[in-house]
Amino acid sequence: MSLAPVRPARRLPRRLLQLYVGLALYGASSAFLVRAGLGLDPWDVFHQGLAERTGWSIGTVSVAVGALVLLLWVPLRQRPGLGTVSNVFAVGLTMDATLAVLPDVHGTVAQAALLTAGIVLNGAATGLYIAACFGPGPRDGLMTGLHRRTGRSLRLVRTGIELTVLAAGVLLGGTAGVGTVAYALAIGPLSQLFLRVFALPSPAGDASDRSDHEADTQTPAPAPAPAQG
């Protein structure tokens, strides 16, 4: 699936809606994983560990880490977009807001249900905001920037980054567990599915755009990096 910028200006309202609904749902889904208590995605393990050490909320830590990661784009010559900057603030703020109203859950069944809901919602949120084509999140951009600068494969770079932040998060006291494994296995296929669901339709009557759309439906996109782009 092509994620090239969408040309027609009349799509802008929908793209903006997708971007901000997606980012809000991403923060909410991350809060679901926290309340499930069965393990977080690697970046949120790191955020939670830092939150334990600093006394800050996990959402505040997420914003701070996103801003610091964005600074690493400078030597990598990455260019942020509206989605990049919005990602830094929106995900952490909505995560904290959701945690403020979402109670703790107890019991394996309730925890597993909340974990499942969080992972599926995270995949949907990823599809929404990436398909809006306003630029990658700070952590996704770090991955692609290192890929371009080092020549290493995206899979290798992504794995190295996520293992590093996961190990650091565990050492800091973050929660890793069965939920971490479930997230890692499910988020790629879910993101791929929802990228297709939320892809912007080609305008009727535009032959070139119809051709692009047909090509998109035949060519699968690489799975995006999980965890708060």
Side-chain angles (χ1 to χ4, degrees), residues 36-51:
L38 296 175
L40 308 174
D41 68 83
W43 276 103
D44 276 339
V45 172
F46 181 59
H47 298 152
Q48 187 183 50
L50 282 177

Side-chain angles (χ1 to χ4, degrees), residues 85-140:
V85 178
S86 298
N87 186 298
V88 171
F89 298 99
V91 172
L93 293 175
T94 55
M95 186 178 184
D96 274 351
T98 305
L99 286 170
V101 299
L102 187 65
D104 290 324
V105 297
H106 304 284
T108 303
V109 173
Q111 288 177 291
L114 192 59
L115 172 68
T116 301
I119 293 174
V120 173
L121 185 60
N122 193 279
T126 299
L128 274 167
Y129 90 79
I130 290 182
C133 298
F134 277 110
R139 298 156 186 83
D140 294 342

Side-chain angles (χ1 to χ4, degrees), residues 97-197:
T98 305
L99 286 170
V101 299
L102 187 65
D104 290 324
V105 297
H106 304 284
T108 303
V109 173
Q111 288 177 291
L114 192 59
L115 172 68
T116 301
I119 293 174
V120 173
L121 185 60
N122 193 279
T126 299
L128 274 167
Y129 90 79
I130 290 182
C133 298
F134 277 110
R139 298 156 186 83
D140 294 342
L142 176 64
M143 176 190 68
T144 56
L146 286 172
H147 159 67
R148 292 192 186 100
R149 296 288 286 181
T150 65
R152 303 294 184 181
S153 70
L154 280 172
R155 179 176 298 179
L156 180 62
V157 172
R158 170 180 164 180
T159 300
I161 292 173
E162 299 222 346
L163 286 177
T164 299
V165 297
L166 177 59
V170 170
L171 290 174
L172 290 169
T175 304
V178 64
T180 308
V181 177
Y183 183 94
L185 293 175
I187 193 61
L190 284 171
S191 298
Q192 182 74 32
L193 169 65
F194 284 111
L195 276 167
R196 293 187 179 279
V197 170

